[in-house]
Amino acid sequence: EMTFERHLAKGNFQTIIEESQVLLKQSSATDDMRLAMVAYLNAALAHFYLGDIENAFSNVLHYKQICEEHGNSRDKYYLYYINAFIYEYEANFEQARQALQQCMEIALEHDAYVDYCNAANFYSAILLMLGQYNDAYEQAELTRSIALNYCPDNLSIHYHYELTLAD
């Protein structure tokens, strides 16, 4: 059985949506709010990658409603992160920047350095889009420092901050 990450990597977005519907039925039958959050988040990402922003946003709103009542700060990290994608898509870079700042704060609270670096790399890209080149460079340098110390083997993280530094 394929995991969500493998489906995402292979571009099996419709499969993710279908599996999310199954999870939603299971969560409804068992009153499992954590399972419902996973389903809505996965569906939101799949719809986003399909370019179906309306359904992505609808799933984010469902996730947010459950997250506010049943979620923890890690769940809120994912809420802010997916919102940043939607804001970027809508070219609302200031809102995306603010959402990513929240992500980075939450990640640091949990010593989740991979999550921090992913959000920080995205944040640097948003700063570039806002024309804040010096801030983007400084953020990329900070991300490089943290990545070298805490996630030296994560090539994706290193690749992204290097792209920002090259810009």
Side-chain angles (χ1 to χ4, degrees):
E1 180 169 311
M2 274 193 160
T3 65
F4 167 76
E5 290 81 14
R6 282 202 176 141
H7 282 307
L8 194 61
K10 290 185 175 271
N12 298 334
F13 306 122
Q14 196 58 47
T15 302
I16 293 170
I17 292 167
E18 291 165 9
E19 289 181 0
S20 295
Q21 293 302 315
V22 171
L23 289 178
L24 282 174
K25 288 178 186 172
Q26 289 174 353
S27 72
S28 190
T30 61
D31 202 30
D32 185 340
M33 294 296 110
R34 304 240 15 110
L35 191 58
M37 285 194 311
V38 168
Y40 283 123
L41 185 64
N42 290 350
L45 282 169
H47 282 291
F48 175 80
Y49 284 117
L50 286 170
D52 184 359
I53 300 306
E54 186 175 322
N55 277 321
F57 193 66
S58 174
N59 280 281
V60 168
L61 287 178
H62 289 295
Y63 180 87
K64 181 179 189 267
Q65 290 170 340
I66 297 170
C67 186
E68 286 175 349
E69 188 173 338
H70 301 282
N72 58 34
S73 64
R74 291 290 294 148
D75 299 320
K76 289 183 174 97
Y77 170 90
Y78 297 114
L79 175 63
Y80 291 123
Y81 200 81
I82 188 74
N83 275 329
F85 272 111
I86 292 170
Y87 290 135
E88 178 199 23
Y89 178 85
E90 295 174 334
N92 189 341
F93 302 124
E94 183 56 35
Q95 286 292 107
R97 186 186 66 75
Q98 290 174 20
L100 291 165
Q101 283 177 317
Q102 293 292 322
C103 286
M104 292 185 303
E105 287 176 23
I106 292 168
L108 287 178
E109 287 171 11
H110 292 275
D111 295 331
Y113 297 107
V114 170
D115 289 338
Y116 173 85
C117 290
N118 284 326
N121 279 330
F122 191 1
Y123 184 79
S124 292
I126 295 296
L127 290 173
L128 287 174
M129 290 177 212
L130 287 167
Q132 298 174 4
Y133 306 113
N134 289 336
D135 292 341
Y137 180 83
E138 288 174 16
Q139 182 61 56
E141 284 287 345
L142 176 60
T143 305
R144 177 192 347 219
S145 174
I146 290 171
L148 289 172
N149 285 318
Y150 295 102
C151 25
D153 297 329
N154 191 316
L155 297 179
S156 175
I157 288 171
H158 297 285
Y159 173 75
H160 282 109
Y161 70 69
E162 291 292 344
L163 279 176
T164 302
L165 292 172
D167 280 344

